[in-house]
Amino acid sequence: MTDTEPAAAVRETADSIATMEVRGAATIASAAAEALAEQAREAASAHADDPPAFRASMRAASRTLRETRPTAVSLPNALRYVLQRMEGDSVEALRRSVVDASEAFVRQLDRAQEDLGRVGANRLADGDTVMTHCHSTDALACIEAAVEQGKSISAVVKETRPRQQGHLTAEQLRDAGVPVTLIVDSAARRYLDEVDHVLVGADSIAADGGVINKIGTSGLAVNARERGVPIMTAAQTIKLHPETLTGHTVEIEMRSESEVIDADAREAIGEVAVENPAFDVTPPRYMDAIVTEQGQFPPESIVTLMRELFGEGAEKPWAEP
Ligand code: RUB
């Protein structure tokens, strides 16, 4: 490992995130924090007497991780959390501070998910049916907490093209004892009349309360509003996007066309453009509540919490000084 070459564990984590073997905003965040701890362990032996080289290698590893997926803000927020706590005059002290911060971050993430699950569960009543989109561990925590409270909950699960993460949701809910009906995305409006809530996760939440989540969330939200079905986002505060406080927009990741059509279909259709945006933005007026570990918020008021947690904006501790 040279000064700025990332450790093998960082490269592996970056690859797994890019190929979506590791996916979902919260899971990406904890994998990134754990990879930084691995980087610290390797860098401590490679640069035992060179604190500046250790620090430079941590920043470089963070940049490698950060470049994998642009939309989920939990990734840079995880890197920020760990790097801001990197301190000490010796490499040993630096290593310890990074490993401690990484472990504390993962613990906090788990606790936050449990806490928000209880808040989200309070919105669900015994006998309710919930419609889900994609696979969100934060959203599932709400349903699982409701079941633990003794409520009987059923789910209508959208398969969520193109990668069908709804299958993961269906499996996890079935394991939790929740009766599941799996539907194709285009059937969602028809089934909205049969559900009491729509529950989604978030990859990022903007300062204006806009919710960035898996493509299709915004259409679902508009339809839910039209049918009079309440829709909530379950999102730990790690999903709040501090850069939007200073006017930046959230980049929407465009993925490969191979997720949409296979090579044979491509050949048969011929020369057409194929686009595959991974996420979309649901304007705050179509979202009833954002459920976090600190309670539930109307989307328009989330900016207050964002300022409390991040001040006026976001630092980039992975940048070269
Ligand atoms: C996953 C997705 C999830 C959020 C929240 O997209 O949009 O709803 O990431 O997930 P992808 P969680 O499959 O492209 O990563 O609540 O687990 O953080």
Side-chain angles (χ1 to χ4, degrees), residues 20 23-28 69 113 133-139 165 200-203 213-214 234 236 239 253 278-279:
M20 289 179 62
R23 48 146 299 282
T27 310
I28 290 172
R69 294 196 77 190
Q113 194 164 73
H133 182 64
C134 196
H135 173 265
S136 155
T137 55
D138 283 351
Q165 292 98 324
V200 297
D203 285 84
N213 190 48
K214 180 56 55 182
Q236 305 175 48
K239 317 283 179 66
E253 177 184 5
F279 303 101

Side-chain angles (χ1 to χ4, degrees), residues 162-177:
R163 294 183 67 108
Q164 300 181 316
Q165 292 98 324
H167 291 188
L168 292 170
T169 302
E171 197 182 329
Q172 200 171 326
L173 286 175
R174 189 215 54 206
D175 287 349

Side-chain angles (χ1 to χ4, degrees), residues 236-256:
Q236 305 175 48
T237 53
I238 190 83
K239 317 283 179 66
L240 302 180
H241 204 304
E243 287 173 40
T244 60
L245 283 168
T246 46
H248 293 278
T249 49
V250 178
E251 184 184 342
I252 299 294
E253 177 184 5
M254 300 298 287
R255 295 192 60 87
S256 160

